[in-house]
Amino acid sequence: MHFSKTYVQLLLSLPPELRDNAVEYRQLKKLINQVATELNSLGLNPLVLQRLLGHEETIVGSANFRELGEGSQCVTSEEESPHQPINVVYEIASESTYLEPRLRLLLKHPHDAATGISTEQHTHSSIPDKDLESILHALRLRFVIFDDEVSSLNDIPKQTDLIIPLRSDAAFFQLLNSTLSSLFEHFDGLYDNFSSTVTALACAIASRARPTTSSAPRSFSVYSPVANNVAHVRPSSGGKSDLYTWREVFQLYVEAEVFEGIGGVNRCERSVEEAEKRLQAFERRIKEKKGSLRLSGSMETLDLFMALNLFILNVKKWQFANAEATRKILKKHTKRTALPIPSHLTSKLDGPIPASSSTDLALIPQPLTSFTRLLVQAIGETLLPIIPHIDDYSCPICTSIAFKPIRLGCGHLFCVRCLVKLQKLAKSNCPMCRAPTVLKADRNNVDYALLNLMADWFPFESREKLRANEREAAQEELEELGLSESSGCSIM
């Protein structure tokens, strides 16, 4: 299937706000045909023009660029042949947003071009005389530059400098440049709307994934240094909340790595196909989580979260489609006309080139960060931090939640059971920094602010850690008394 049909089908799968702001591939193709027709009317077919510009093959992006002046640039051959009666330079001058591609033809008398050697004696000219004669004839028919007596190469004045504007080429680059500029402006508006939606979604999730105690204020207790007995601190069961369901949803989302790989060798941006496959897999995994949502509006909030991710996927398709369309249309421009691709389109933004495209062909202006990455960062910075993750509050020794946390004088934090074990073993140095702070710790080292946070945001894990600590403490007491569960004795 031709790319133009594939491109149209891909755009039709996108929402109107994206579909209506894309590279006009078919219109650009028509303009390329007009450029080729315009050049052929001058006798400059692709083969002749390649030789005049010094390229035997169509080489994109390899021509020299030298400044003509402010807002202007030109493409010229690597070497100027001293034996060629016609030298051609492809220029693109720009004034503000207007582009003016043109050819500069320097016509030389054959004797001057060959440095005193006549055309008949010189047999190494890169352009056959018949092609040069046809170019001269086309120029004389189109432009009033020669007298009627000038009918052959030998009749050319000593040196003639002719500038030929390429109107169809100007229309081509003007359309392409304006389309790409409006495309980036449109994304700025999309990004602003997306950011406001993410902020509103963050507020909705925060109200439904609140700590369990916030829905039952009478059961909430603040633990502080003036508490009578910190050993009896227990998290309350609290009221209704979808905290744990949303924590699981976010955990699954991070593990899915839908749009970017974040670990090891897989750290990269996903392709469109891979991102779509991973998003579908993530959606299947969270379907069962919808039944766990208890608060009003939670299901609609989860649907909005999925809609935002689908929008990111569509933006990724939109960006890929525009990049591929631009790459292919520039390649087609060079293939049909033999005119080297100018660097004007890369002068505004110097960004990365899509991995799927050749660095010689993809002269596509892009922001330093891809569209998709900006949207994913908005979710990562605004939504995911709403709910604390248990890995950020774990004890480095037992790796479970550090409930009843003890903060040593060196600043490192451990759960109370692990610290008690260190003290019983007379280990005085901190396991993290080797500072002699372990034996100095007492109840004054309890981090009450963190204790309250853990009891509030991790009630299930905190209660389980308390039960595990109590079982372990009881077992240690039995062993100190010479008793154990294996001996068959039990203490009622």
Side-chain angles (χ1 to χ4, degrees):
M1 183 182 296
H2 294 294
F3 174 76
S4 58
K5 294 182 179 179
T6 305
Y7 181 62
V8 170
Q9 290 181 358
L10 193 150
L11 292 181
L12 289 175
S13 67
L14 301 178
E17 59 183 355
L18 297 177
R19 181 173 63 245
D20 297 340
N21 290 272
V23 173
E24 301 179 36
Y25 186 80
R26 289 184 174 176
Q27 183 62 27
L28 289 169
K29 278 182 62 178
K30 292 179 180 179
L31 290 174
I32 289 176
N33 293 334
Q34 295 177 17
V35 175
T37 301
E38 186 177 3
L39 291 173
N40 284 330
S41 69
L42 299 173
L44 297 172
N45 61 60
L47 182 59
V48 171
L49 197 54
Q50 286 171 19
R51 291 173 177 172
L52 287 172
L53 289 171
H55 304 296
E56 292 300 325
E57 299 179 357
T58 302
I59 302 175
V60 182
S62 63
N64 281 338
F65 291 84
R66 57 184 174 84
E67 293 295 328
L68 293 177
E70 185 176 358
S72 301
Q73 56 189 8
C74 75
V75 183
T76 184
S77 60
E78 297 283 345
E79 297 179 359
E80 294 187 2
S81 172
H83 308 299
Q84 191 164 284
I86 298 181
N87 286 330
V88 177
V89 175
Y90 178 46
E91 302 174 351
I92 295 187
S94 61
E95 296 294 337
S96 183
T97 59
Y98 180 78
L99 300 178
E100 186 183 350
R102 61 197 184 193
L103 290 176
R104 182 186 296 272
L105 274 67
L106 180 63
L107 306 179
K108 300 179 182 180
H109 193 279
H111 290 278
D112 295 331
T115 317
I117 303 176
S118 66
T119 307
E120 290 76 9
Q121 294 173 321
H122 182 68
T123 59
H124 299 290
S125 177
S126 60
I127 303 297
D129 284 352
K130 62 177 182 178
D131 288 337
L132 295 176
E133 294 284 0
S134 65
I135 294 173
L136 176 63
H137 179 68
L139 293 175
R140 188 177 59 207
L141 290 177
R142 185 164 179 180
F143 303 95
V144 182
I145 56 173
F146 301 121
D147 297 330
D148 292 337
E149 291 79 12
V150 180
S151 58
S152 67
L153 289 174
N154 291 321
D155 296 328
I156 296 177
K158 188 172 183 181
Q159 182 168 305
T160 302
D161 195 2
L162 174 66
I163 294 179
I164 305 175
L166 302 177
R167 294 179 178 85
S168 298
D169 207 26
F172 171 83
F173 284 111
Q174 184 69 17
L175 177 60
L176 181 59
N177 197 33
S178 62
T179 300
L180 292 177
S181 298
S182 63
L183 185 147
F184 296 129
E185 291 176 2
H186 179 66
F187 176 78
D188 289 339
L190 292 177
Y191 181 75
D192 292 338
N193 293 335
F194 182 87
S195 299
S196 60
T197 304
V198 170
T199 301
L201 179 61
C203 296
I205 294 176
S207 65
R208 291 162 179 80
R210 58 185 181 267
T212 55
T213 52
S214 64
S215 58
R218 292 184 180 179
S219 63
F220 181 74
S221 300
V222 178
Y223 310 127
S224 67
V226 297
N228 292 330
N229 192 348
V230 178
H232 293 98
V233 170
R234 292 180 178 276
S236 62
S237 58
K240 290 184 178 180
S241 174
D242 288 329
L243 170 63
Y244 278 89
T245 302
W246 276 105
R247 179 172 285 141
E248 290 180 32
V249 169
F250 282 173
Q251 181 63 29
L252 290 173
Y253 182 74
V254 172
E255 292 174 355
E257 298 182 358
V258 177
F259 300 106
E260 291 183 356
I262 57 177
V265 295
N266 296 322
R267 190 177 184 86
C268 62
E269 188 171 350
R270 305 290 186 197
S271 65
V272 172
E273 295 78 9
E274 180 67 16
E276 186 170 21
K277 183 173 68 175
R278 286 176 175 267
L279 183 59
Q280 292 172 352
F282 169 70
E283 188 173 13
R284 289 193 297 268
R285 294 187 68 182
I286 66 169
K287 276 186 177 180
E288 58 187 36
K289 302 299 178 185
K290 289 187 175 182
S292 304
L293 297 171
R294 299 187 292 173
L295 296 181
S296 174
S298 286
M299 191 169 296
E300 291 78 5
T301 303
L302 183 57
D303 289 339
L304 180 56
F305 176 69
M306 288 304 304
L308 284 179
N309 281 277
L310 180 60
F311 175 76
I312 295 177
L313 179 62
N314 285 331
V315 169
K316 189 175 184 68
K317 292 180 179 179
W318 176 67
Q319 181 183 8
F320 171 79
N322 282 287
E324 191 69 5
T326 307
R327 183 184 73 86
K328 285 185 173 293
I329 205 66
L330 290 175
K331 180 179 179 180
K332 186 176 291 292
H333 176 275
T334 301
K335 183 178 180 181
R336 291 294 310 277
T337 66
L339 298 174
I341 293 177
S343 61
H344 177 81
L345 293 177
T346 60
S347 62
K348 292 183 178 179
L349 294 170
D350 184 16
I353 294 171
S356 62
S357 38
S358 167
T359 56
D360 285 337
L361 298 177
L363 299 178
I364 306 169
Q366 294 188 60
L368 295 178
T369 306
S370 73
F371 294 159
T372 307
R373 185 164 297 174
L374 289 173
L375 301 181
V376 172
Q377 285 176 353
I379 285 184
E381 294 172 358
T382 307
L383 288 184
L384 300 185
I386 291 175
I387 304 175
H389 196 276
I390 193 171
D391 290 345
D392 298 327
Y393 302 92
S394 60
C395 171
I397 296 178
C398 64
T399 68
S400 65
I401 187 171
F403 189 61
K404 292 189 178 178
I406 307 297
R407 190 172 298 279
L408 301 180
C410 58
H412 293 108
L413 185 140
F414 305 90
C415 66
V416 64
R417 283 301 305 163
C418 290
L419 187 68
V420 168
K421 292 178 184 178
L422 290 175
Q423 289 181 338
K424 286 185 176 181
L425 295 173
K427 302 288 187 180
S428 62
N429 296 332
C430 170
M432 303 298 292
C433 66
R434 313 308 298 168
T437 55
V438 172
L439 299 180
K440 299 177 183 179
D442 55 23
R443 62 174 294 170
N444 294 322
N445 290 88
V446 177
D447 190 330
Y448 287 94
L450 198 56
L451 176 64
N452 279 285
L453 186 146
M454 291 183 184
D456 213 17
W457 287 96
F458 305 99
F460 298 158
E461 293 85 354
S462 298
R463 285 197 294 273
E464 179 59 33
K465 185 63 176 287
L466 278 175
R467 286 193 289 267
N469 287 348
E470 289 169 354
R471 289 194 298 268
E472 188 175 354
Q475 180 65 26
E476 289 178 358
E477 290 179 4
L478 289 175
E479 291 176 355
E480 289 175 359
L481 294 173
L483 303 173
S484 65
E485 294 180 0
S486 59
S487 63
C489 299
S490 60
I491 299 178
M492 301 300 291

